[in-house]
Amino acid sequence: MNKKVILTLIGIIIGAVAGYLYYLNIGCESGTCAITSKPVNSTLYGGLMGGLIFNMFVKTPKKE
């Protein structure tokens, strides 16, 4: 696999775990928070953010 894909997948996994842990520890008990009121939303959002953040560290080759 490509180094860019592997790094992005690692970011998605770490972000998803962090999102779920955020839901467990902090979360929104009243249900009015769109992202943190459900574990699925929090996990998916964390995975998206983790993938985007880790994707920033991939160096692209310069075209000459």
Side-chain angles (χ1 to χ4, degrees):
M1 258 201 250
N2 187 339
K3 186 176 182 180
K4 181 178 181 178
V5 173
I6 292 172
L7 194 60
T8 304
L9 287 175
I10 290 171
I12 291 171
I13 292 169
I14 290 174
V17 170
Y20 186 73
L21 289 175
Y22 184 85
Y23 165 77
L24 284 179
N25 295 324
I26 299 170
C28 181
E29 294 179 12
S30 64
T32 58
C33 308
I35 295 172
T36 59
S37 63
K38 297 179 184 175
V40 173
N41 294 347
S42 184
T43 303
L44 290 176
Y45 185 76
L48 176 68
M49 290 297 115
L52 289 173
I53 290 172
F54 272 61
N55 196 16
M56 289 185 338
F57 298 111
V58 176
K59 295 181 181 178
T60 56
K62 295 181 181 178
K63 294 181 182 178
E64 295 181 18

